[in-house]
Amino acid sequence: DGTLRLVGSYWFVTRVRFRTINKAMSTLFIAATANNWIALRDIYEKELGPVLRGPLVIFWLVYVLAIRYLFLNVCTMIFIYKYESTSPVQPWIAMEQVEEFLDAWQTFDVYGTGRIRTKYLSRMLRLLQPPLGMAADVPQLLADRHAKRILMAMPLLLPSEVAAKRADLAERWREVKALADPHARKTPRKPRAPPQVPKFLEFDAVLKAVHKVVIFSEMQALPDDAQFVERREFAQAKLDILKLGVYR
């Protein structure tokens, strides 16, 4: 008959949209999202009168607290968490990835000193899946470049920077670029000054730098990216020419 029993009384529901399930769900959704809920409240107060005002306030208070501030926020949190932990381009670091970083660090920090040798940084990054690392199947050259990104992202690295308490990225890049590749074959070269890059890296400094590189896209660029791309394109062109010669 278009009425609804509530606390032993009947009241008309045409104006408050509780006649059908669809209308009831729509009304509850409006209240949960706080969309024009003031008008909904006024309609209820006019239809019910002062006798049922108390139960009405209790019902909507419990509903809004349970649905709007608890259920919807929990659903949003779960959605964001799943996106952060599964997306390859996600901007944050999930806790599972921090555990992965710790496991890779312990591979080279056997005695738990909280430090690893700088020359092992690229090897450690190859034990991590993107976006933290480069994965084990990438070329060593790309892993070395990612290690250089981490070194460039640290607040202070060189002794001169620590003494001056400010970063000198130009000087740091000259030192980082000159780092010898421990996997490369040794070739004669001109003697140069001892490297200023420290031999050991601290755990917290590397972890923060990895966070910065993942979160801020501008930290993923290196000063020689253009030259590096040109060299790769030139090498790929020579490889294509060799393939044509073989297949011919």
Side-chain angles (χ1 to χ4, degrees):
D1 57 354
T3 58
L4 177 70
R5 180 178 294 276
L6 180 65
V7 198
S9 301
Y10 288 93
W11 57 286
F12 293 96
V13 294
T14 302
R15 295 180 59 189
V16 293
R17 300 176 182 178
F18 265 96
R19 181 182 296 274
T20 64
I21 294 179
N22 292 337
K23 291 183 177 180
M25 296 298 295
S26 176
T27 303
L28 292 176
F29 179 77
I30 291 174
T33 57
N35 183 15
N36 200 22
W37 67 274
I38 295 295
L40 186 63
R41 183 204 61 183
D42 294 340
I43 293 174
Y44 272 101
E45 289 182 351
K46 184 176 180 180
E47 295 290 340
L48 291 179
V51 177
L52 298 177
R53 182 181 178 87
L56 173 67
V57 172
I58 294 176
F59 168 76
W60 285 112
L61 206 58
V62 173
Y63 178 79
V64 170
L65 289 177
I67 301 300
R68 182 183 175 190
Y69 293 106
L70 181 61
F71 181 74
L72 293 181
N73 287 339
V74 169
C75 291
T76 304
M77 181 184 65
I78 293 174
F79 176 78
I80 294 176
Y81 172 78
K82 295 300 293 182
Y83 171 76
E84 292 178 355
S85 59
T86 59
S87 174
V89 294
Q90 52 94 7
W92 307 105
I93 302 295
M95 196 60 200
E96 289 83 356
Q97 293 169 328
V98 176
E99 295 294 336
E100 180 187 0
F101 180 88
L102 182 59
D103 293 339
W105 181 276
Q106 291 174 344
T107 303
F108 299 93
D109 184 15
V110 180
Y111 299 103
T113 60
R115 302 191 305 168
I116 64 171
R117 288 186 174 274
T118 304
K119 65 180 182 179
Y120 296 145
L121 179 59
S122 63
R123 295 186 186 181
M124 189 203 72
L125 294 174
R126 296 187 70 180
L127 299 179
L128 304 174
Q129 294 297 323
L132 296 185
M134 299 295 293
D137 56 347
V138 301
Q140 182 61 40
L141 178 61
L142 297 182
D144 291 337
R145 290 186 63 81
H146 190 50
K148 293 177 180 180
R149 293 189 190 99
I150 304 302
L151 295 175
M152 293 298 295
M154 292 183 179
L156 300 175
L157 180 66
L158 305 180
S160 58
E161 294 178 332
V162 176
K165 296 183 178 180
R166 65 180 183 87
D168 186 354
L169 297 182
E171 177 63 25
R172 186 192 303 186
W173 173 244
R174 284 193 290 269
E175 294 293 334
V176 169
K177 186 179 180 181
L179 285 177
D181 182 4
H183 306 281
R185 182 174 53 190
K186 293 184 179 180
T187 56
R189 60 180 181 177
K190 297 180 180 180
R192 61 183 298 271
Q196 298 297 315
V197 178
K199 293 183 178 181
F200 294 91
L201 299 174
E202 300 291 336
F203 173 81
D204 56 343
V206 176
L207 182 60
K208 292 176 182 178
V210 170
H211 274 74
K212 290 177 63 177
V213 172
V214 173
I215 294 174
F216 302 107
S217 58
E218 61 271 16
M219 303 297 298
Q220 300 173 9
L222 290 174
D224 67 339
D225 277 345
Q227 295 86 342
F228 178 74
V229 172
E230 290 179 0
R231 290 196 300 269
R232 293 197 68 183
E233 292 177 349
F234 179 73
Q236 184 64 43
K238 292 179 63 177
L239 181 60
D240 293 339
I241 294 174
L242 290 175
K243 288 181 178 179
L244 289 175
V246 172
Y247 295 147
R248 182 180 300 176

